[in-house]
Amino acid sequence: MATTTAAPGAPTTKIGQAALEVDDRLIVAGPLRRTLNKVFPDHWSFLLGEIALYAFMILLVSGTYLTFFYDASMEEVVYEGVYAPLRGVEMSAAYESTLGLSFDVRGGLLIRQIHHWAALLFVAAIVIHLIRIFFTGAFRRPRETNWLIGVVLLVLALLMGVTGYSLPDDLLSGTGLRIISAIILSLPVIGTWAHWAVFNGDYVGTEIIGRFYIAHVLIIPAILLALIAAHLLILVKQKHTQFPGAGRTEHNVVGNRLFPTFAGKATALLFIVFGLCAALGGLVQINPIWLWGPYNPAQVSAGSQPDWYIGFLDGSTRLFPAWDINLPGDYTIPALFWPTVVGAGLMFTVLALYPMIERKLTGDTASHHLLQRPRDVPVRTAVGAMALTFYVVLWISGGNDVIADKFDISLNAMTWFGRIGCLVLPPFAYWMTYRLCLGLQRHDREVLEHGIETGVIRRLPSGEFIEVHQPLGPVDEHGHGQLAYGGASVPKKMNQVGGARRAIKGFFKPIEEPAEVQRQAELEARGLEAEQSDRQTISSGRPSEGGRPSEGGRPQAPRD
Amino acid sequence: MSTTNASSEAPLEGGRRGLLRRRPAAGTPAAAARDRRRSKQRRRLANVAGLMAALVLTGVGYSAFAPGAIAADEQSDTESIAVEAGRELYVLSCITCHGSNLQGVEDRGPSLIGVGSASVYFQVSTGRMPLVRQEAQAPEHPVIFTEAEIAQLMAYVQANGGGPSVPSGDLRDGELAEGGELFRLNCASCHNFVGEGGALSSGKRAPSLDGLTDEQIYAAMLTGPENMPVFGDNQLTPEEKRSVIDYVQTIQDQADPGGAPIGRAGPVAEGLVIWVAGVGALLFGIFWMGTKA
C-alpha cells in the first residue's frame, strides 16, 4: 500500500509487488494518497450527513432483497396464504406479495421493517444535516452548488418515500395514492392531462403500482446515487468547513485524516446506524400492512397518515380553508392546489435559493470556510427558527386527529391551533431567537471583558462584596480583558480553563482512578498559565481536553 | 309467557302511576288537570286490575294443575323482581336526565322508551352511564354497577317499551375475513383500521375497541350509541355482525409479529419513534464519537 513508483528499490513483499503492478497500469498511488490524507473536522455535527449516507446504503441493500419477492402488479388475486383474517379476500398481486414477503419469506418481515425504518431515518438525517448546514452558514460561497444538490436530494428522498409507501397497495397507502391523484388533478389547466399521463387513465387504473415501482427502484435511486456522488466529490474538492478555533483558519482544515482515524470512526458510525435500523426493524413494528387490509377505493380509515416527512403537507392541507375558486366555464381551482402544490413549491424554492437570497441581502460574496456560530448571525438564525416553527406547526397539524384523540382535545381546536399558530408562532420564534442570539453574544463579550465568574466572593476593606473574576488573558489598567471575540466558543466556567482538575475520562463510567487524577493534578501547576503552556503543544483544541471544542477567546498564536 | 305478553303494558302503567302518586306532586303545575283525569284513570286502572286478577287466577289455577309450569312462573317472578330492582336503581342514578317515566329530559338526556336492553347494556357496562357531566360525548368511566345491577336496569328499560336486545350464544360465530372486509367498509372510517379509535369533530370521538366484550360490540352496532350510526339487522345481518366481532376480537388478541406495536397507530407513532428513539440515539452516538476524537 505504502509503495510508490518513486521508491528507490523494487518492493520486496508480495503485496507491495502486486500494488506496484496495479499502480504501473492505473497510476492510482498519487490520488489515493491524497484521498487517504484528506482531513475531516472532528466536531460531532459533521457526522449528521454521514448518517443519511449510511441509511441510504442500508436502503439499497435491504431494498434489493425486497425486490426478489415483491410483485409490482395490480392484477386481482384471492389471498390463500397463512394470514387467516385475510384469507379469501380479493386483493392486488402487489399486496399479496407483500403479505407473502412479510409472513412466508425467511427474514422478510425483518428486512421490510429495517427498510422502512431506514427510510424514515434517511429523510430525518437529511433534515438534521440541512439544519446544521443552515445555522452554521456552511452553504455560503463557494458551497452554494452543494446546497442546491442537497435540496434536490431532499426532494428526491421525499419522492422515494412517497413511491415506496405506495408499493404495498394496502388501504393506508392507497388512501395516500388517492390524495396524490387529487393533488395532480388540482393543477390548473394541465391537471386532468397530467393525471392521465401518470395513472394512464382515471384513478386508480392498473398501471400506477408498476410505474411507481420502476421510479422507486430504478429511476430515483439512480439519480440519487449520481447526486450523492456529486455531493461528495464537490465536498472533497472544496474541502470541509470547520468551526473557528485555535489554529483554524480559512486556509486549513483541522481534524483527523481519512486513514486511519476517520475511516475507523466512519465505519463505526455505519455500524451504529445499521445497528439502530436493525434494532428498530426487529423490535418495533412498522407499517403492519396486514392490519390495514388491501386497498379498496370504497374504504377509508380514520387516522390515515403519510409517513412523517410528508406530514407537513398533510397538515397544510388540513389547515387551509376550503377556498375553491370557481371560474366561468366550469373551471375550478380546488383549494387543495394551494397548500400542496403552491405551498410545497414555495417552501422548497425558497429553501433552494436561500444562499443566493442571503448573498443578495448581505452583499457578502466572499468565500468562507470557517463556520459561524448561530448566535453571531442573529437574523439568519431567527429566520431559520421561524421557518422551522412554521414547518413544525404544519407537521403537528398533519397528525392533529391522532393528537386530538390521544390527548382528548377537540379536533376543531387542534385545527384552529394550527391555523392561528402557523401565522403567529413563527414571528414569535423569530423575535425570541433574535433576542436569545443577542443575549448570548453579549454574554460572550462580557466574559471576554471581565473574565469568568469564579464563584469566589471577596469582601473588600470598605465592606463591599465583589465576585472574583478570572480574566481570560492580559488585562489593561482597569482590569478589562484585551481579547477580541474570534467567532469561537468562549469558556465560561473555570473548569474549562483548568480551574478544577480535568474531567475523569470515561463516557458511561470512569475508566481511570479519580484519586490518581487528583494526585497528578496536584503535581502540575494549576491555573491558566500552566494550561496554556500545556495546550500549545497540541495542534488543535480537541473536545477531549476540557470538553470544549476550541479555546476561543484565548489570544491566538500568530496565524500562518 | 303468553300472559305477560297480553298484559305487558297495563300493570306497568299502573306501577308507574303508583310511583307518581307516591312522589309529592305539589310543584307540578298540571296537578289540577291531573286530578280531573285521575277518576278516569282510576276507572281504567280498576279495569286493568280486574283483568290482572283474572289472569293471575287463571295462571295460579293452571300452575296448580300443571306442575311443570312452576319453573316458568318462578322465572317470570324473578323477572318482575329484576324489573322492580332495576326501577329502584333507575330512580337513584338515572332519573335526573332520563326523566321519571324514561321519557327523557330536554337538554339533559334522551328518552329511553324503546331503546332496549342492548343500549342499557352498552352504556352502563362500558361505564359511560351514569354520566358525570354533560360533555361532547360520554367518556368511559370505571363501571359503577355490578353485573347483576346492570341486568336489573336492562330488565327495567326492556320492560318499558321493549327494544333491541343482545342475543345470547357465541357472538364470534362468523366469517373472519368477511368480517374484516365489513369492518374496513363500515367501521374503519371512524374506529381506524384496527379499532384503535379516532377523533371526530368538536371533541367527539370514536372510541378504541380495545378490551370490549363481544356483547358490548354487538350492542353498539345494534343501538348506535353517541355518534355511531345504528347498524340494524337490515344493514348488517346478525351473521355479519358476528363476523365483524370475530374480526375485531381476533386482531385485538393477535400478537404483533413485527415487534412492539406502538399503539398500532400508524405513521404518526412511527414518526415519533424515529425522531425520539432513532435520531435521539444517533445524536447521542455521534456526540460520543465527537468526544472520543
Side-chain angles (χ1 to χ4, degrees):
Chain A
M1 186 69 77
T3 309
T4 67
T5 46
T12 49
T13 61
K14 278 259 162 65
I15 297 171
Q17 283 163 352
L20 183 62
E21 295 292 317
V22 171
D23 191 47
D24 275 348
R25 288 160 180 80
L26 299 176
I27 317 176
V28 290
L32 189 64
R33 175 177 291 273
R34 277 201 298 280
T35 308
L36 292 180
N37 280 342
K38 178 177 163 43
V39 173
F40 287 80
D42 47 21
H43 194 261
W44 61 271
S45 68
F46 286 79
L47 296 172
L48 292 169
E50 264 172 66
I51 296 178
L53 179 66
Y54 301 142
F56 184 67
M57 287 160 64
I58 296 166
L59 285 170
L60 285 183
V61 175
S62 58
T64 307
Y65 184 77
L66 297 179
T67 61
F68 298 158
F69 309 102
Y70 174 72
D71 176 13
S73 154
M74 295 175 81
E75 187 195 342
E76 292 274 315
V77 295
V78 174
Y79 183 67
E80 294 297 345
V82 293
Y83 184 65
L86 287 174
R87 219 174 278 152
V89 173
E90 269 194 27
M91 56 183 64
S92 67
Y95 185 71
E96 192 205 23
S97 67
T98 315
L99 284 178
L101 175 64
S102 304
F103 291 126
D104 301 326
V105 174
R106 193 175 295 273
L109 181 59
L110 175 67
I111 302 290
R112 224 195 91 219
Q113 297 202 134
I114 289 177
H115 189 75
H116 205 137
W117 282 119
L120 297 192
L121 181 66
F122 179 50
V123 192
I126 292 178
V127 169
I128 316 175
H129 176 55
L130 180 144
I131 289 172
R132 202 281 288 173
I133 300 293
F134 179 88
F135 282 111
T136 57
F139 55 81
R140 292 172 298 166
R141 184 188 178 97
R143 296 185 174 77
E144 302 99 325
T145 323
N146 242 8
W147 169 270
L148 266 178
I149 293 177
V151 174
V152 175
L153 282 173
L154 172 61
V155 175
L156 287 175
L158 298 188
L159 284 178
M160 274 301 257
V162 168
T163 49
Y165 173 87
S166 300
L167 290 184
D169 201 23
D170 56 296
L171 187 50
L172 177 62
S173 75
T175 307
L177 195 60
R178 173 80 254 196
I179 296 169
I180 294 170
S181 145
I183 292 171
I184 297 175
L185 277 174
S186 79
L187 293 168
V189 185
I190 60 163
T192 313
W193 283 271
H195 186 280
W196 250 245
V198 173
F199 284 81
N200 196 35
D202 202 351
Y203 182 79
V204 51
T206 54
E207 302 288 319
I208 190 65
I209 295 290
R211 290 182 177 184
F212 270 21
Y213 183 58
I214 287 302
H216 184 77
V217 303
L218 183 69
I219 300 171
I220 306 177
I223 305 172
L224 263 179
L225 261 181
L227 285 179
I228 288 174
H231 202 67
L232 295 181
L233 282 176
I234 292 174
L235 167 84
V236 171
K237 175 78 185 147
Q238 292 181 332
K239 301 198 168 54
H240 269 89
T241 55
Q242 61 183 341
F243 281 104
R248 299 171 186 207
T249 71
E250 290 280 6
H251 308 290
N252 69 2
V253 182
V254 177
N256 303 118
R257 294 205 186 280
L258 173 59
F259 193 85
T261 315
F262 189 78
K265 283 172 73 173
T267 316
L269 184 58
L270 168 65
F271 284 121
I272 289 178
V273 174
F274 176 73
L276 178 88
C277 290
L280 284 173
L283 297 174
V284 187
Q285 180 164 282
I286 186 166
N287 200 22
I289 50 138
W290 55 91
L291 293 176
W292 307 157
Y295 183 53
N296 177 342
Q299 303 168 350
V300 179
S301 166
S304 290
Q305 315 275 356
D307 278 340
W308 77 259
Y309 41 81
I310 305 292
F312 76 102
L313 284 181
D314 198 335
S316 66
T317 308
R318 289 172 190 219
L319 297 186
F320 198 78
W323 289 341
D324 286 347
I325 299 177
N326 292 307
L327 301 171
D330 244 10
Y331 289 105
T332 301
I333 303 176
L336 180 64
F337 175 66
W338 306 107
T340 53
V341 181
V342 175
L346 272 177
M347 284 168 80
F348 283 108
T349 309
V350 171
L351 185 67
L353 296 181
Y354 184 80
M356 285 57 106
I357 296 171
E358 189 186 293
R359 205 169 58 199
K360 195 86 184 164
L361 291 179
T362 60
D364 179 6
T365 53
S367 276
H368 296 281
H369 301 285
L370 282 178
L371 297 174
Q372 291 167 305
R373 300 175 81 201
R375 69 185 62 175
D376 294 335
V377 205
V379 173
R380 181 204 295 143
T381 307
V383 165
M386 185 169 79
L388 274 182
T389 308
F390 182 69
Y391 178 88
V392 169
V393 172
L394 295 191
W395 192 18
I396 289 173
S397 298
N400 63 6
D401 58 328
V402 176
I403 296 171
D405 184 44
K406 298 293 174 205
F407 292 96
D408 217 357
I409 303 168
S410 161
L411 180 56
N412 303 42
M414 284 300 297
T415 304
W416 278 104
F417 158 75
R419 284 177 174 169
I420 297 168
C422 80
L423 297 176
V424 169
L425 291 180
F428 179 70
Y430 181 97
W431 174 80
M432 210 171 74
T433 313
Y434 193 86
R435 299 310 310 177
L436 270 174
C437 288
L438 292 192
L440 289 167
Q441 279 186 20
R442 283 179 191 156
H443 192 244
D444 283 347
R445 302 304 190 280
E446 190 200 306
V447 171
L448 287 175
E449 199 173 327
H450 296 122
I452 299 173
E453 295 172 351
T454 57
V456 177
I457 308 291
R458 183 169 291 161
R459 189 177 184 193
L460 299 183
S462 61
E464 180 190 0
F465 287 97
I466 57 160
E467 180 174 9
V468 178
H469 283 63
Q470 167 68 56
L472 290 168
V475 292
D476 63 10
E477 65 272 20
H478 304 295
H480 287 159
Q482 301 291 294
L483 297 172
Y485 180 66
S489 121
V490 178
K492 291 180 177 172
K493 287 181 179 151
M494 288 304 287
N495 294 12
Q496 290 161 5
V497 292
R501 60 158 171 71
R502 67 173 174 80
I504 306 291
K505 280 180 183 161
F507 199 75
F508 292 109
K509 55 181 171 54
I511 55 172
E512 51 187 5
E513 198 65 40
E516 177 66 14
V517 176
Q518 186 76 36
R519 199 182 60 80
Q520 276 178 5
E522 275 159 12
L523 291 179
E524 291 166 9
R526 292 178 63 170
L528 268 179
E529 291 310 309
E531 177 79 1
Q532 200 166 5
S533 65
D534 181 31
R535 284 232 181 156
Q536 271 165 354
T537 59
I538 295 164
S539 62
S540 71
R542 291 179 181 166
S544 59
E545 272 102 39
R548 293 295 275 204
S550 70
E551 311 165 301
R554 182 83 39 85
Q556 296 190 343
R559 291 194 171 178
D560 47 3
Chain B
M1 273 324 269
S2 63
T3 55
T4 48
N5 263 347
S7 61
S8 67
E9 297 252 289
L12 286 162
E13 283 279 301
R16 247 187 296 143
R17 292 271 143 66
L19 167 70
L20 265 180
R21 225 178 298 150
R22 272 203 301 280
R23 278 162 56 92
T28 329
R34 197 190 293 154
D35 276 344
R36 258 181 279 125
R37 257 186 277 130
R38 193 159 282 172
S39 59
K40 198 190 274 181
Q41 284 174 0
R42 210 166 278 162
R43 239 180 295 137
R44 203 193 290 161
L45 207 61
N47 289 344
V48 169
L51 185 62
M52 265 308 287
L55 285 170
V56 167
L57 271 178
T58 319
V60 169
Y62 178 74
S63 60
F65 290 107
I70 290 174
D73 218 40
E74 271 171 5
Q75 194 188 338
S76 77
D77 273 357
T78 51
E79 258 175 32
S80 61
I81 290 168
V83 169
E84 182 55 27
R87 192 187 61 76
E88 271 163 25
L89 290 171
Y90 178 87
V91 168
L92 282 174
S93 301
C94 321
I95 199 165
T96 317
C97 302
H98 292 295
S100 50
N101 294 326
L102 298 108
Q103 81 279 29
V105 176
E106 198 165 5
D107 294 333
R108 270 197 228 156
S111 163
L112 297 186
I113 296 168
V115 299
S117 61
S119 183
V120 178
Y121 176 69
F122 178 83
Q123 297 285 357
V124 180
S125 71
T126 58
R128 285 178 168 76
M129 294 291 150
L131 196 60
V132 176
R133 61 166 184 268
Q134 297 286 340
E135 284 178 88
Q137 183 172 326
E140 299 97 320
H141 287 299
V143 186
I144 67 159
F145 291 115
T146 64
E147 267 183 43
E149 287 169 334
I150 294 171
Q152 289 160 358
L153 276 172
M154 287 162 66
Y156 175 62
V157 172
Q158 186 72 25
N160 288 277
S165 56
V166 178
S168 53
D170 182 9
L171 294 181
R172 298 192 195 185
D173 183 21
E175 294 285 323
L176 183 59
E178 191 204 346
E181 279 290 282
L182 289 168
F183 183 84
R184 287 188 288 275
L185 195 60
N186 294 295
C187 320
S189 50
C190 300
H191 287 287
N192 161 304
F193 304 95
V194 282
E196 282 300 319
L200 303 175
S201 59
S202 303
K204 292 174 282 201
R205 63 205 170 76
S208 163
L209 306 184
D210 204 12
L212 292 185
T213 65
D214 297 352
E215 289 78 16
Q216 283 164 344
I217 300 175
Y218 198 103
M221 285 190 278
L222 205 56
T223 61
E226 313 284 347
N227 298 284
M228 183 168 160
V230 172
F231 291 93
D233 286 350
N234 291 331
Q235 282 103 337
L236 285 179
T237 65
E239 286 69 42
E240 287 173 336
K241 287 197 183 74
R242 289 184 165 86
S243 301
V244 169
I245 292 170
D246 191 19
Y247 181 75
V248 170
Q249 302 289 35
T250 303
I251 58 170
Q252 297 279 357
D253 298 342
Q254 181 177 294
D256 285 294
I262 47 173
R264 291 179 173 177
V268 173
E270 292 157 10
L272 200 64
V273 168
I274 197 66
W275 275 96
V276 175
V279 172
L282 284 179
L283 285 181
F284 188 77
I286 60 175
F287 191 71
W288 184 25
M289 294 176 80
T291 64
K292 295 278 163 194

